[in-house]
């Protein structure tokens, strides 16, 4: 799909029933995100999520999938050392059934990415807004607006890919920056709040179903509006990703 230019539809899921609906709706990549700390556990950040939490939800999601590719998040500080990272990835893949793990961070994670990928763990690097850094950043903010930080992110993408990353995900960045990272990357790039010119789109399931609490980020679209069942909302999301109707300009952070 990356080579042919077909847009890839991705969505988070945390349990078997919703995973089954996403799979049936045509979602191609299902992520068990550490966003579960917010939308399932009800916390204000993802920092409290543990590897055991992700394994538990990944096992559940795996039973609901018959076709979609299953990716699982490595939570806060669970990949801070090589030993922790390989143990965490082993649990996510062997117990959880994940086919790929995702970890936040740029060039600083190159050593861990190289270590994991060389041992058969497919890795998706997560750039741009890294929610696990929320207490360091002082909030959930758009990243890469300044030229120097944008250049740093392009370099982070290059370094991660060189270290063996099989996919990249970029969150909350100006659309032009996401476009330039995608054009230079040799691996698929998933965007969330990163504009239309990436290979794949992802959203948090609770957001597309309109059941998230609190302030809804600009990049979210509630696909339940005007529809009366969840499967139709998920299908509409997939259709809009495929056709390019989602994301629209209003969901992005400018050039
Ligand atoms: O945790 C998560 O669900 C994520 C997505 C928002 C990309 O990382």
């Amino acid at each position: 799909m990356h080579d042919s230019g077909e847009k890839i539809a991705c969505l988070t899921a945390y349990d078997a029933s919703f995973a089954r609906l996403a799979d049936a709706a045509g979602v191609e990549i299902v992520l068990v995100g550490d966003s579960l700390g917010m939308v399932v556990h009800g916390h204000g950040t993802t920092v409290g999520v543990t590897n055991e939490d992700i394994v538990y939800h990944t096992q559940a999601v795996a039973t609901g999938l018959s076709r979609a590719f299953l990716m699982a998040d490595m939570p806060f500080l669970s990949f801070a050392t090589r030993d922790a990272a390989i143990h965490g990835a082993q649990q996510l893949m062997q117990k959880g059934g994940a086919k790929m793990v995702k970890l936040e961070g740029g060039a600083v994670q190159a050593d861990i990415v190289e270590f994991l990928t060389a041992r058969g763990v497919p890795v998706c690097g997560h750039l741009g807004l890294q929610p696990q850094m929320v207490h360091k950043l002082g909030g959930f903010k758009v990243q890469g607006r300044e030229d120097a930080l944008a250049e740093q992110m392009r370099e982070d993408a290059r370094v991660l890919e060189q270290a063996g990353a099989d996919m990249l995900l970029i969150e909350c960045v100006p659309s032009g920056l996401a476009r330039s990272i995608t054009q230079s990357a040799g691996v698929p790039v998933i965007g969330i709040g990163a504009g239309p010119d990436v290979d794949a789109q992802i959203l948090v399931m609770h957001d597309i179903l309109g059941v998230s609490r609190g302030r809804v980020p600009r990049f979210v679209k509630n696909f339940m509006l005007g529809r009366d069942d969840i499967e139709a909302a998920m299908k509409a999301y997939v259709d809009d990703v495929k056709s390019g109707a989602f994301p629209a300009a209003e969901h992005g952070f400018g050039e």
Side-chain angles (χ1 to χ4, degrees):
M1 292 169 77
H2 173 242
D3 291 344
S4 71
E6 181 180 347
K7 296 285 183 191
I8 305 167
C10 319
L11 193 61
T12 69
Y14 315 95
D15 70 29
S17 301
F18 284 91
R20 186 176 49 75
L21 290 177
D23 194 277
V27 170
E28 279 124 357
I29 300 177
V30 170
L31 168 70
V32 181
D34 62 357
S35 51
L36 70 86
M38 301 172 78
V39 297
V40 178
H41 299 164
H43 299 301
T45 76
T46 62
V47 170
V49 177
T50 64
N51 212 55
E52 289 70 34
D53 293 332
I54 304 276
V55 170
Y56 174 84
H57 287 277
T58 305
Q59 284 172 327
V61 167
T63 67
L65 300 184
S66 55
R67 189 191 45 81
F69 185 81
L70 178 55
M71 188 190 300
D73 249 344
M74 302 201 78
F76 182 59
L77 292 184
S78 69
F79 50 96
T81 63
R82 286 178 168 199
D83 281 356
I86 203 78
H87 178 71
Q90 183 180 14
Q91 302 290 305
L92 293 171
M93 294 181 75
Q94 287 189 325
K95 283 195 182 165
K99 304 284 194 303
M100 179 178 284
V101 302
K102 175 167 79 62
L103 54 85
E104 295 183 11
V108 69
Q109 300 301 347
D111 175 64
I112 296 292
V113 170
E114 197 170 350
F115 188 73
L116 291 176
T117 54
R119 284 156 184 78
V121 179
V123 173
C124 175
H126 183 148
L127 296 172
L129 174 62
Q130 296 159 38
Q132 292 170 14
M133 296 286 278
V134 62
H135 297 309
K136 185 80 178 148
L137 294 170
F140 299 109
K141 299 172 183 168
V142 180
Q143 302 292 306
R145 283 205 200 276
E146 308 77 3
D147 288 348
L149 295 180
E151 189 42 45
Q152 178 62 54
M153 209 182 297
R154 281 189 275 266
E155 177 62 12
D156 283 339
R158 277 191 290 272
V159 170
L160 287 180
E161 189 178 335
Q162 212 163 18
D166 304 276
M167 253 185 237
L168 296 171
L169 182 147
I170 39 182
E171 177 165 356
C172 277
V173 302
S175 304
L177 174 56
R179 184 184 313 120
S180 69
I181 290 174
T182 305
Q183 283 168 351
S184 307
V187 296
V189 177
I190 306 173
I192 175 164
D197 299 321
V198 288
D199 302 302
Q201 297 290 335
I202 189 163
L203 285 176
V204 168
M205 178 175 294
H206 291 55
D207 288 343
I208 74 159
L209 301 180
V211 293
S212 298
R213 65 179 189 145
R215 196 172 64 85
V216 177
R218 178 205 297 216
F219 55 77
V220 164
K221 181 171 173 186
N222 177 356
F223 284 87
M224 278 303 285
L225 291 177
R227 300 186 178 87
D228 53 16
D229 74 85
I230 289 171
E231 209 165 342
M234 288 189 186
K235 282 208 172 87
Y237 166 68
V238 172
D239 287 350
D240 279 9
V241 169
K242 295 283 174 193
S243 70
F246 178 81
E250 77 215 47
H251 302 117
F253 294 101
E255 285 292 308

